[in-house]
Amino acid sequence: QVQLVESGGGLAQAGGSLRLSCAASGRTVSTYVMGWFRQAPGKERESVAVIGRSGGITYYADSVKGRFTISRDNAKNTVYLQMNSLKPEDTAVYYCAVGLKGSWYIVPVPADFGSWGQGTQVTVSS
């Protein structure tokens, strides 16, 4: 079983940047779809960005498109989320997860992912 640990969260001002890292251990994740999700208090967990196993196919939620970039370094068994032009509405706990299948349709859903990390808090002030 793969274990995921998110890091890089913290406090940022609106317009600022953060880079989140998701370090995998226990098993290589190079053959898996990987995703970033977030959950704000009182809200459902939502998809943020997903990357295919090759890194060439990506998905971004409309709310983050053009601001966030997902990438992976399979040699390091790590997935990243570069977050630029942060907005207060980006405030949430961000989670990394492993895809349970090799692809997704239209919008990735949390139910299709597993091996969830503990999450890292991102807080953006205005």
Side-chain angles (χ1 to χ4, degrees):
Q1 183 67 261
V2 63
Q3 295 81 45
L4 304 178
V5 178
E6 301 94 338
S7 62
L11 300 174
Q13 293 293 119
S17 297
L18 290 171
R19 189 174 81 152
L20 307 184
S21 297
C22 172
S25 62
R27 183 179 299 169
T28 179
V29 294
S30 63
T31 62
Y32 296 99
V33 170
M34 299 291 293
W36 284 98
F37 301 78
R38 67 187 182 187
Q39 187 166 22
K43 296 181 65 177
E44 296 285 337
R45 187 168 56 196
E46 64 179 356
S47 302
V48 175
V50 177
I51 189 166
R53 61 184 185 179
S54 71
I57 302 173
T58 57
Y59 161 86
Y60 295 97
D62 288 342
S63 59
V64 308
K65 192 173 298 183
R67 300 188 297 118
F68 292 8
T69 303
I70 188 171
S71 62
R72 67 192 303 163
D73 186 339
N74 286 336
K76 296 181 178 180
N77 219 26
T78 300
V79 182
Y80 305 96
L81 185 68
Q82 179 66 47
M83 309 166 67
N84 297 328
S85 301
L86 285 164
K87 303 176 179 180
E89 51 262 45
D90 295 320
T91 296
V93 177
Y94 283 71
Y95 299 91
C96 183
V98 178
L100 301 177
K101 53 186 180 182
S103 62
W104 62 91
Y105 293 99
I106 311 299
V107 178
V109 296
D112 288 334
F113 291 75
S115 297
W116 296 89
Q118 296 265 15
T120 184
Q121 176 71 48
V122 171
T123 302
V124 183
S125 63
S126 60

